[in-house]
Every structure is written in structure tokens, then in C-alpha cells.
């Protein structure tokens, strides 16, 4: 897995990326999980905070760099920290 | 659980699952396949991280539900050791039994053919309690055996049937041409008057109507012309002659005949032992097997009442019967081509109960047989 990740890092030169699906959200290269409850999830990235609002929000997979969540997502908002 | 990289399925009781997840994140632990249950959270975590969770989140009670990947398989094997050992043993036995030969059967009516094939097969390693050979090897062995016995074996086939090799052989029959070179006469094996001559080879020395004695040459193998032997062959044919027999018949004049009266009774038997006593005095029995349980036969018996009546032959009847008996006795000795010509009563003698009859029978039968002779060398003057 490390080889694949390194290769991906080399090929995809992004600081972060966020994939939004119908009932899922995948975030890569986040820094911190700031808030978590059934209706709200906040992730800190290097330059902004991602605020995901909805209902029945649950984490499916989680590690230091990536997170996959599931739920009825109502809104995704980027809050700049300037 | 020696492999630190292997994953565990862990369950933990938590009222506030989100709080727990935040704590896990704070510890920098990766978790996957998170399953939200009522008052419980289930997820997969590395063994290394599981120890970290246990160390830092002491207020939670983590339970290992199982493992994943190779360790899961190893765990299953460990817990169901006996079952897997049995399966393994069964596979090994199946492999051994399906690849072992326990008997080699050579099919041929002649013993010497069976023996040479069996010994050759053994020499080439086709014997009982050995591993099965593949098609190519069997073919090679087959060809080697056929090459080894070119005069005895025509064809050979080795067939695998379960744990047995069935070897079918065909014998090579070489016609002995030398036989045609043998010289023989047709001679009389009995005395009699010739009635018919059929021959394909040789020279006729006797004619129809001639009386011949035992040992006389009937058809000669030496073909002569002007008293000089031109050629010698093996005489072949059949010479029929009238020969005579006299036979003695002893016939009892009183005899009994059985006749069914029409009365019938049923009975049962268990292994030939009657169950009920028969109510008939004289009877004949017909058996019918009903069923068999544990080697015990249950038989239905039908008993037909018979009446025995005594009779006595008259003199004429006794003579006819005696001739019949004599006829049967002679016919037993004859072949299909031979037959009885005539029968006569020579002598008869009767007392109260028995009649003695001497019967003279003339029969047409084959009296010729082949007899080899050695050709005389001509003297050189």
C-alpha cells in the first residue's frame, strides 16, 4: 500500500482533494477532525476548514490522512481561516 | 497473533460513539469498516493500534471479535484442527487409493498365456500394491511385451478399472504348415460292411459292399500308378460302414404310475423345514420362494395329491419297451451323422416279475480314422 501511496503522491501533486458522492464524502490530506456529531462534521485542512452538514453522519473509514464519511449530506462549506 | 501488521475486528461499548471516534483520531489510529451498532461500535484495527487503544483508552472495554486475512484462516484452522486434519487425511487417502493398484487381472482362457503376460507385467512394474502408471508408460509396456512374445501374443490391452488393471490378451495362432506334410492312411477302427465313402485326399482301396476288418487300410495316403508310388499325402475323409451290436436288457414287468387327483393343499416352509404337517397321504410338492430375511428363506409349498397305480407289462409291451431302451442305449454312442439301421430280438426270457431280452442292432457309423505312416525309401540298385 505504501508503494501505491507514494506513487500516487508523486503522480497527483495535490495538497488535498475532496470527493463528494450522493451519500458519501471522501477527504484526503486533512489535518484534524475538529468536530463530529450526527449532523455536523468539521475537518481542518492546511488553509481552510471543511464543514459538512447533514443528517445521520457516520464515519466509515478513518486514518491520519484520509477519511470516508456516510450520511444524508445537506451542505459542504469551506471556511477560510484568514 | 505474532504478525503485528495483521488486522483485528474489535467491538467496543460506547454511548457517545462520535466522542470515541474523536479520541481514536487524536491517538492517530487508523480504523476501517466502521459498523455502528446499538451502544456499540465495531471496526477493524491493526494489532499494534489495538494495543495502543487498550493502553490509552482505559475507560472503554475493547473486545476482539475476530481477525482478518491470513490470520483469520490460521485461526479457523487452529480452532477446527481435527476437522481439517480429517479432511487432509481423507484427501491423502483418496489420492493414495485412486493411484494405487491392488490387483492385476489377466483375462485369457489359457494358463500359459496368463502366466507369461503376468510375469512380464511384473517385470515392468505392473503389479499389485504399486502406483498406477500413466497412459504413455502403459503403452510402452504393452509394446515391449508384444515384442517379447511375437509368436504367442497377437494383441494386448491394459485397462484401468478403479484400483485394478484388467489385461485382455489375444493369442497369436500360427498354422503349423508342417502338418500338411504328414502322411497318413484312413484305416478301419471296427469291422463292418462299407456302405458309403466320402474322401477328399488319398486313394480308395475298398469299395462299397466290401467287408473290412479292424486295421484294414480304407483310403491310402500313397498315390500309386502302375504299382509305383507317385505321391504321398495325408488321406482325409469318412468311411461309413454297417456294424453290429448285441445288447442285453433287463426289464421289470410290474411298474407303478402316479396320477394327480386334483386335490391341492398349501403349506409353508422355513429353510426347507415344513411348518404344518401335510394332510395328504401321497403327494408331490411344488415350491415357490416368497422372501428371504437374514439368510432365512420363506417358501410357499403347493401339495398336489397323487394316486399310485400298479401295472404289469404284457409280453408284447415288454418287448417294445425293451427295444426302446436298447435303442436309447445305442443312440447315446452315435454322432449326428450315424444312425441305427435295424433292430431284432435275438433271445427273450421271462419269469414272474422280470424279462431278459437280447437285442441285435445294426448301425451305420463312421469306422475310419487317420493313421500316420512312414514313407518307405526306394532302394537304389
Amino acid at each position: 500500500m505504501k508503494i501505491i501511496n507514494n506513487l500516487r503522491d508523486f503522480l497527483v501533486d495535490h495538497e488535498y482533494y475532496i470527493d463528494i458522492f450522493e451519500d458519501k464524502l471522501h477527504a484526503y490530506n486533512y489535518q484534524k477532525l475538529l468536530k463530529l456529531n450526527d449532523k455536523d462534521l468539521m475537518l481542518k485542512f492546511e488553509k481552510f476548514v471543511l464543514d459538512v452538514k447533514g443528517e445521520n453522519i457516520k464515519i466509515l473509514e478513518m486514518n491520519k490522512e484520509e477519511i470516508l464519511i456516510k450520511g444524508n449530506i445537506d451542505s459542504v462549506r469551506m471556511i477560510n481561516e484568514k | 497473533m505474532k504478525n503485528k501488521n495483521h488486522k483485528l475486528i474489535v467491538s467496543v461499548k460506547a454511548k457517545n460513539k462520535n466522542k470515541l471516534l474523536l479520541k481514536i483520531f487524536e491517538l492517530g489510529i487508523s480504523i476501517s469498516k466502521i459498523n455502528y451498532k446499538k451502544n456499540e461500535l465495531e471496526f477493524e484495527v491493526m494489532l499494534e493500534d489495538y494495543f495502543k487503544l487498550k493502553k490509552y483508552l482505559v475507560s472503554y472495554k475493547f473486545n476482539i471479535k475476530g481477525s482478518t486475512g491470513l490470520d483469520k484462516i490460521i485461526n479457523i484452522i487452529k480452532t477446527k484442527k481435527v476437522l481439517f486434519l480429517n479432511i487432509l487425511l481423507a484427501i491423502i487417502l483418496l489420492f493414495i487409493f485412486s493411484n494405487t493398484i491392488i490387483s492385476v487381472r489377466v483375462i485369457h482362457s489359457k494358463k500359459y498365456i496368463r502366466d507369461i503376460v503376468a510375469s512380464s507385467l511384473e517385470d515392468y512394474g505392473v503389479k499389485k500394491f504399486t502406483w498406477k502408471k500413466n497412459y504413455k508408460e502403459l503403452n510402452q509396456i504393452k509394446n515391449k511385451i508384444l515384442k517379447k512374445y511375437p509368436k504367442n501374443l497377437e494383441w494386448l490391452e491394459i485397462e484401468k478399472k478403479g484400483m485394478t488393471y484388467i489385461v485382455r490378451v489375444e493369442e497369436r495362432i500360427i498354422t503349423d504348415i508342417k502338418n500338411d506334410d504328414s502322411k497318413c492312411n484312413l484305416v478301419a477302427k471296427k469291422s463292418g460292411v462299407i456302405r458309403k465313402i466320402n474322401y477328399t485326399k488319398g486313394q480308395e482301396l475298398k469299395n462299397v459292399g466290401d467287408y473290412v476288418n479292424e486295421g484294414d487300410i480304407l483310403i491310402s495316403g500313397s498315390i500309386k500308378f502302375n504299382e509305383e508310388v507317385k505321391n504321398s499325402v495325408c488321406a482325409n475323409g469318412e468311411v461309413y460302414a454297417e456294424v453290429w451290436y448285441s445288447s442285453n436288457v433287463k426289464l421289470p414287468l410290474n411298474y407303478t404310475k402316479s396320477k394327480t387327483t386334483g386335490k391341492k393343499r398349501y403349506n409353508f416352509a422355513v429353510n426347507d423345514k415344513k411348518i404344518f404337517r401335510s394332510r395328504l397321504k401321497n403327494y408331490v410338492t411344488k415350491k415357490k420362494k416368497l422372501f428371504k430375511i437374514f439368510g432365512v428363506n420363506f417358501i410357499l409349498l403347493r401339495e398336489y395329491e397323487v394316486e399310485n397305480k400298479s401295472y404289469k407289462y404284457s409280453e408284447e409291451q415288454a418287448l417294445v419297451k425293451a427295444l426302446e431302451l436298447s435303442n436309447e442305449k445305442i443312440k447315446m454312442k452315435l454322432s449326428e451323422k450315424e444312425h441305427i439301421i435295424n433292430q431284432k430280438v435275438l433271445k427273450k426270457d421271462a419269469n414272474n416279475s422280470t424279462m431278459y431280452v437280447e437285442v441285435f442292432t445294426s448301425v451305420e457309423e463312421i469306422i475310419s480314422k487317420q493313421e500316420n505312416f512312414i514313407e518307405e525309401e526306394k532302394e537304389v540298385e
Side-chain angles (χ1 to χ4, degrees):
Chain A
M1 283 302 282
K2 263 187 179 176
I3 299 167
I4 296 167
N5 287 341
N6 290 341
L7 192 68
R8 194 166 62 181
D9 287 347
F10 176 77
L11 293 170
V12 186
D13 190 20
H14 291 312
E15 281 180 5
Y16 65 89
Y17 61 77
I18 301 156
D19 301 316
I20 302 169
F21 305 97
E22 198 184 332
D23 61 341
K24 286 187 186 79
L25 186 140
H26 173 234
Y28 171 72
N29 216 7
Y30 74 104
Q31 285 179 345
K32 208 174 175 185
L33 181 61
L34 297 173
K35 189 179 174 187
L36 175 65
N37 59 49
D38 289 353
K39 290 177 180 174
D40 197 2
L41 178 133
M42 283 174 91
L43 294 172
K44 188 185 180 309
F45 286 80
E46 197 184 340
K47 291 171 183 169
F48 62 92
V49 171
L50 188 78
D51 186 10
V52 182
K53 285 193 190 297
E55 274 176 24
N56 207 17
I57 292 170
K58 285 173 180 170
I59 297 173
L60 294 183
E61 314 260 338
M62 179 176 76
N63 63 33
K64 281 176 200 170
E65 290 172 328
E66 282 179 88
I67 189 163
L68 177 70
I69 62 164
K70 191 188 174 187
N72 299 322
I73 299 162
D74 293 332
S75 68
V76 179
R77 195 160 62 99
M78 287 167 79
I79 305 161
N80 282 314
E81 288 188 318
K82 283 176 189 175
Chain B
M1 286 190 206
K2 284 173 188 173
N3 180 9
K4 283 188 175 182
N5 290 322
H6 99 260
K7 278 186 173 180
L8 294 174
I9 301 165
V10 173
S11 77
V12 55
K13 281 192 177 174
K15 278 183 185 173
N16 192 343
K17 293 166 193 123
N18 293 326
K19 195 178 162 188
L20 172 67
L21 284 166
L22 281 166
K23 282 183 179 174
I24 291 170
F25 175 80
E26 289 298 328
L27 288 168
I29 290 168
S30 301
I31 55 171
S32 60
K33 292 186 184 165
I34 302 162
N35 191 3
Y36 288 75
K37 289 184 175 176
K38 198 183 175 186
N39 297 328
E40 201 178 86
L41 201 65
E42 201 178 277
F43 52 83
E44 279 183 23
V45 66
M46 303 286 271
L47 178 67
E48 214 177 354
D49 293 334
Y50 166 74
F51 292 126
K52 222 190 255 184
L53 285 172
K54 286 230 359 160
K55 190 178 174 184
Y56 295 108
L57 304 176
V58 282
S59 55
Y60 293 94
K61 201 181 174 188
F62 296 94
N63 293 314
I64 299 171
K65 286 242 168 171
S67 50
T68 60
L70 189 66
D71 287 272
K72 187 182 176 181
I73 296 164
I74 291 166
N75 267 343
I76 292 169
I77 292 169
K78 272 183 185 171
T79 49
K80 294 179 178 176
K81 219 185 288 175
V82 180
L83 177 74
F84 281 100
L85 273 173
N86 278 326
I87 291 169
L88 191 72
L89 194 71
I91 292 167
I92 292 167
L93 285 175
L94 186 75
F95 178 78
I96 291 169
F97 287 138
S98 59
N99 283 289
T100 313
I101 285 299
I102 58 157
S103 84
V104 179
R105 280 175 57 207
V106 182
I107 298 172
H108 198 274
S109 56
K110 289 184 183 169
K111 194 179 177 289
Y112 90 95
I113 293 282
R114 292 200 302 268
D115 289 346
I116 59 168
V117 173
S119 67
S120 303
L121 286 168
E122 214 169 304
D123 292 344
Y124 294 120
V126 181
K127 50 188 171 184
K128 58 182 178 180
F129 307 124
T130 54
W131 288 112
K132 274 182 187 174
K133 302 212 176 296
N134 61 32
Y135 178 78
K136 203 179 164 185
E137 283 174 316
L138 285 178
N139 233 11
Q140 281 174 349
I141 291 167
K142 190 177 91 179
N143 292 332
K144 277 180 191 170
I145 295 171
L146 286 173
K147 268 186 190 173
K148 200 175 167 185
Y149 299 103
K151 286 181 183 172
N152 304 95
L153 305 177
E154 179 75 46
W155 171 86
L156 192 141
E157 192 60 56
I158 305 168
E159 190 190 332
K160 279 182 212 169
K161 214 166 197 182
M163 295 170 83
T164 310
Y165 273 139
I166 294 171
V167 185
R168 294 176 205 280
V169 202
E170 201 62 59
E171 187 190 4
R172 176 161 285 175
I173 297 161
I174 300 167
T175 318
D176 196 355
I177 301 157
K178 281 179 187 171
N179 278 348
D180 291 342
D181 295 338
S182 63
K183 278 109 185 141
C184 59
N185 293 319
L186 278 185
V187 296
K189 57 183 176 189
K190 278 175 187 175
S191 302
V193 176
I194 295 173
R195 284 172 68 95
K196 205 160 65 183
I197 301 170
N198 296 328
Y199 71 101
T200 50
K201 267 185 196 173
Q203 195 168 35
E204 199 179 316
L205 296 185
K206 301 285 179 188
N207 296 311
V208 173
D210 286 357
Y211 178 83
V212 290
N213 285 312
E214 188 186 336
D216 284 357
I217 299 171
L218 307 171
I219 311 288
S220 172
S222 304
I223 315 290
K224 288 181 180 172
F225 184 73
N226 290 337
E227 296 300 314
E228 198 186 323
V229 178
K230 295 285 179 190
N231 192 16
S232 291
V233 293
C234 185
N236 189 19
E238 283 168 347
V239 177
Y240 294 82
E242 184 179 338
V243 291
W244 307 278
Y245 293 99
S246 109
S247 54
N248 292 305
V249 181
K250 185 183 165 189
L251 187 80
L253 293 172
N254 297 314
Y255 66 98
T256 51
K257 251 186 178 180
S258 298
K259 199 182 165 187
T260 52
T261 59
K263 269 189 183 176
K264 190 167 83 173
R265 293 281 182 272
Y266 288 99
N267 205 339
F268 292 96
V270 178
N271 275 355
D272 287 341
K273 202 167 185 184
K274 273 185 193 174
I275 292 176
F276 305 111
R277 226 176 101 186
S278 180
R279 283 175 287 167
L280 300 168
K281 263 190 175 181
N282 295 316
Y283 58 91
V284 286
T285 313
K286 282 187 179 175
K287 292 177 180 180
K288 192 186 174 188
K289 195 174 157 184
L290 294 174
F291 51 86
K292 190 179 179 181
I293 301 171
F294 302 120
V296 181
N297 290 311
F298 292 85
I299 301 156
L300 173 73
L301 304 173
R302 283 193 195 96
E303 294 169 348
Y304 298 91
E305 191 183 50
V306 288
E307 208 177 52
N308 293 328
K309 266 193 175 179
S310 296
Y311 296 91
K312 192 176 180 180
Y313 286 121
S314 67
E315 204 181 308
E316 288 79 23
Q317 283 174 330
L319 278 176
V320 171
K321 188 76 189 169
L323 283 171
E324 268 177 30
L325 290 170
S326 160
N327 202 320
E328 278 171 23
K329 216 170 157 184
I330 300 282
K331 270 187 177 171
M332 280 167 74
K333 295 179 190 170
L334 303 180
S335 70
E336 280 178 9
K337 290 176 181 175
E338 298 163 332
H339 66 272
I340 292 168
I341 303 165
N342 196 13
Q343 266 187 321
K344 266 180 191 169
V345 176
L346 283 182
K347 207 171 133 188
K348 59 180 181 185
D349 189 17
N351 58 29
N352 278 345
S353 61
T354 318
M355 183 178 238
Y356 298 93
V357 185
E358 194 181 334
V359 183
F360 172 83
T361 313
S362 60
V363 176
E364 186 183 291
E365 67 174 78
I366 298 164
I367 61 156
S368 56
K369 65 169 183 182
Q370 282 184 328
E371 202 173 80
N372 290 329
F373 68 89
I374 300 160
E375 206 176 359
E376 282 177 28
E377 283 181 25
K378 285 174 191 171
E379 282 178 22
V380 182
E381 287 178 7

